[in-house]
Amino acid sequence: MALYKRKKTWWTDFSVNGQRFRESLDTSDWREAQAKEKELIAQASQGKLAIGSLQFGRMAFSSAADSYVEERLPRLSPRTIQTEKERLKPLKAYFGAISLNRISADAVRRYIVDRKAGNLSNRTINMEVACLARILRRAKRWHLIADDLRPLPERRDIGRVLTPEQKAELLSTACSRPEWQVATWAMTLALNTTMRACEIRGLRWRDINLREGVVTVVKSKTESGKRTIPLNDDARRAILELHNRTENLFGTGPSPDWYVFPRAEGGRKPDPTRPMSNWRTAWRRLTHVVNCPSCGEQQDPRKTCRNEECKADISNVKSPTAGLRFHDLRHHAITELAESTTSDRTIMSIAGHVSQKMLEHYSHVRLEAKRTALANLASSSIEVSHVTRNVTNEQVEEESRPQVIEKLVDVRGFEPLTPCLQSRCSPS
């Protein structure tokens, strides 16, 4: 074990269990260097320090982030890798050439403050810091600062549930224009299977068994998302319509490897061997469309009605489904299951959840369901109270007789006198 200087910086050189460690202590203060050396020795003794981790920790953050992504490529889906790269962009811009060993808790806190100043949500910032934490764990550095950092509070009411009227209106509106047909089929599957948008886009015809009436989610966001879901009548009808559409587009029945939602929807050359990217434009227009209160004509939001004979002011007219995310359909489907008599275990199996916490995050029991439940509780309480009172009265009447008989027993050991409950008995 030795401390030595390189220029103005202290370094340590020590061995633990036959393994040699040489590391910069990033300080010019001798007492601080001693404390850091003891900490490194303790980490090495506990197996928290490895030579590979030390080398990784010396890398600049940008290089370390690229190396980290490359290491994860075999284990993650392309979509997850893309998301990871997006989260790393602001981190790489901020920490850049700073080595992992020099990223302190104060530096992470400053990063959080700067990102919050850009009006970002707490959820977004927490996900970026979580990505930073995974890289620092790879370098065996996160545990040194983890106790000094806390995630920002996040909203737990994210997600929206439609009222029965809103759901009916949304389905009716979706069927009103042919250019919304693809989004309508996707919406029908989401509302009747709890599938995510990525799961719907990734469906192949080999994943659907119409004879058994089931769809198998082979590729999902999580491992628990891989599941088999029965098809109800609405979902089966949507699948059959998609099957007919495939035959019309390509002149033949779908191949098992073809995607149910093929690439380049609406284009000249749709490709069934590639999944479609999204239906974002159709979904946005579908959920924002309004009806003029004067003439009833359906149209996109605008200042005045497009009907030349009406021209009413519709600038303040807003669709009841404006801002509805496609993912909210999953929330809605799980909520309807939660409000039914379906058990939590069954709901988690259908939705692909692994914990009660996730089920609570996705289900939003509506006020009307709560009101009905409490109304039933009140009526059942009245019935129970009535039955309990009658049973108790009967028991009191039954129990009152032997008590009177016991009081009339002759203390001299003779047979008990006949009880008289109407009048007092007097000795002759």
Side-chain angles (χ1 to χ4, degrees):
M1 181 174 68
L3 281 173
Y4 61 95
K5 260 191 174 183
R6 283 185 177 178
K7 295 183 178 180
K8 294 183 179 182
T9 303
W10 285 101
W11 283 64
T12 180
D13 187 346
F14 62 91
S15 297
V16 174
N17 298 327
Q19 192 172 22
R20 186 178 179 182
F21 298 89
R22 281 182 293 182
E23 178 73 7
S24 170
L25 299 175
D26 296 324
T27 182
S28 58
D29 184 87
W30 182 72
R31 292 186 182 277
E32 185 179 355
Q34 282 187 313
K36 286 189 173 183
E37 182 186 48
K38 290 181 180 179
E39 187 177 358
L40 287 175
I41 294 173
Q43 293 173 25
S45 301
Q46 297 169 8
K48 295 181 178 179
L49 204 61
I51 294 178
S53 300
L54 291 175
Q55 295 173 348
F56 187 75
R58 296 190 190 104
M59 296 175 65
F61 181 84
S62 295
S63 301
D66 293 338
S67 176
Y68 166 77
V69 171
E70 289 180 6
E71 291 175 359
R72 301 194 73 190
L73 281 175
R75 296 188 296 274
L76 299 179
S77 67
R79 178 78 174 181
T80 304
I81 291 295
Q82 180 183 356
T83 303
E84 201 85 338
K85 289 180 178 179
E86 290 296 325
R87 293 172 183 168
L88 281 171
K89 283 182 180 179
L91 289 166
K92 292 168 71 173
Y94 189 88
F95 293 105
I98 300 176
S99 66
L100 299 182
N101 290 341
R102 296 190 176 185
I103 297 179
S104 63
D106 290 337
V108 178
R109 278 193 288 265
R110 287 193 297 270
Y111 173 81
I112 293 173
V113 171
D114 289 349
R115 293 293 283 166
K116 191 61 183 176
N119 294 325
L120 293 175
S121 68
N122 289 358
R123 173 67 174 167
T124 299
I125 297 173
N126 284 343
M127 289 191 296
E128 292 174 359
V129 174
C131 192
L132 170 64
R134 288 192 289 272
I135 295 175
L136 291 179
R137 284 194 190 95
R138 168 71 175 78
K140 304 293 184 183
R141 302 289 299 177
W142 178 250
H143 67 281
L144 300 175
I145 64 175
D147 292 340
D148 297 327
L149 299 170
R150 291 290 181 270
L152 298 175
E154 298 179 15
R155 288 179 54 191
R156 295 300 177 186
D157 58 343
I158 297 176
R160 180 175 170 184
V161 176
L162 299 169
T163 64
E165 295 76 19
Q166 289 174 342
K167 179 181 177 181
E169 183 176 350
L170 180 65
L171 291 171
S172 176
T173 303
C175 298
S176 63
R177 298 187 188 180
E179 61 266 29
W180 295 341
Q181 188 64 69
V182 173
T184 303
W185 284 320
M187 175 180 64
T188 302
L189 290 178
L191 285 172
N192 292 278
T193 63
T194 73
M195 283 196 292
R196 303 174 176 92
C198 62
E199 295 169 348
I200 295 174
R201 290 195 301 268
L203 276 181
R204 298 176 188 256
W205 285 109
R206 67 187 178 199
D207 304 329
I208 298 172
N209 188 333
L210 286 174
R211 180 175 298 178
E212 297 293 332
V214 296
V215 57
T216 302
V217 180
V218 178
K219 191 175 182 181
S220 181
K221 178 182 176 181
T222 62
E223 189 65 27
S224 62
K226 300 176 182 179
R227 60 203 187 276
T228 300
I229 307 171
L231 295 172
N232 61 17
D233 291 341
D234 290 341
R236 184 190 290 268
R237 190 178 303 110
I239 292 295
L240 289 173
E241 291 177 0
L242 285 162
H243 189 280
N244 294 335
R245 178 174 178 274
T246 300
E247 291 181 340
N248 295 332
L249 279 175
F250 305 104
T252 181
S255 171
D257 290 334
W258 286 3
Y259 285 93
V260 177
F261 291 84
R263 185 83 167 186
E265 289 290 345
R268 295 181 180 180
K269 296 180 180 180
D271 184 0
T273 63
R274 300 171 64 193
M276 78 174 299
S277 54
N278 59 68
W279 42 79
R280 184 180 304 164
T281 302
W283 180 253
R284 186 180 294 115
R285 293 192 64 188
L286 165 62
T287 54
H288 284 78
V289 71
V290 297
N291 294 319
C292 175
S294 299
C295 65
E297 184 169 347
Q298 186 185 86
Q299 54 199 292
D300 295 331
R302 52 195 302 158
K303 292 183 178 180
T304 59
C305 178
R306 69 178 182 179
N307 188 342
E308 294 295 335
E309 298 179 358
C310 178
K311 288 296 182 180
D313 182 8
I314 60 171
S315 58
N316 294 324
V317 179
K318 186 177 180 180
S319 170
T321 57
L324 181 72
R325 304 175 305 163
F326 189 86
H327 192 71
D328 289 332
L329 302 179
R330 175 172 163 86
H331 286 260
H332 181 89
I334 296 174
T335 297
E336 287 191 333
L337 289 173
E339 291 177 355
S340 67
T341 57
T342 309
S343 67
D344 287 356
R345 180 60 58 184
T346 302
I347 297 174
M348 286 189 280
S349 178
I350 294 173
H353 291 150
V354 293
S355 67
Q356 186 70 28
K357 182 178 180 180
M358 284 303 298
L359 177 60
E360 292 172 356
H361 171 74
Y362 274 98
S363 63
H364 311 256
V365 180
R366 290 171 288 197
L367 180 61
E368 189 60 33
K370 296 177 183 179
R371 183 178 288 113
T372 302
L374 291 175
N376 293 336
L377 179 63
S379 60
S380 61
S381 298
I382 294 173
E383 293 176 2
V384 171
S385 176
H386 175 71
V387 172
T388 303
R389 185 167 57 251
N390 290 344
V391 172
T392 304
N393 292 341
E394 292 176 2
Q395 292 176 348
V396 170
E397 292 179 2
E398 292 294 333
E399 294 174 357
S400 62
R401 291 188 178 89
Q403 291 176 357
V404 175
I405 293 174
E406 290 174 0
K407 288 181 181 180
L408 295 176
V409 174
D410 191 351
V411 295
R412 292 173 298 180
F414 296 131
E415 291 294 329
L417 301 172
T418 302
C420 178
L421 301 179
Q422 301 295 332
S423 61
R424 300 268 182 190
C425 295
S426 56
S428 54

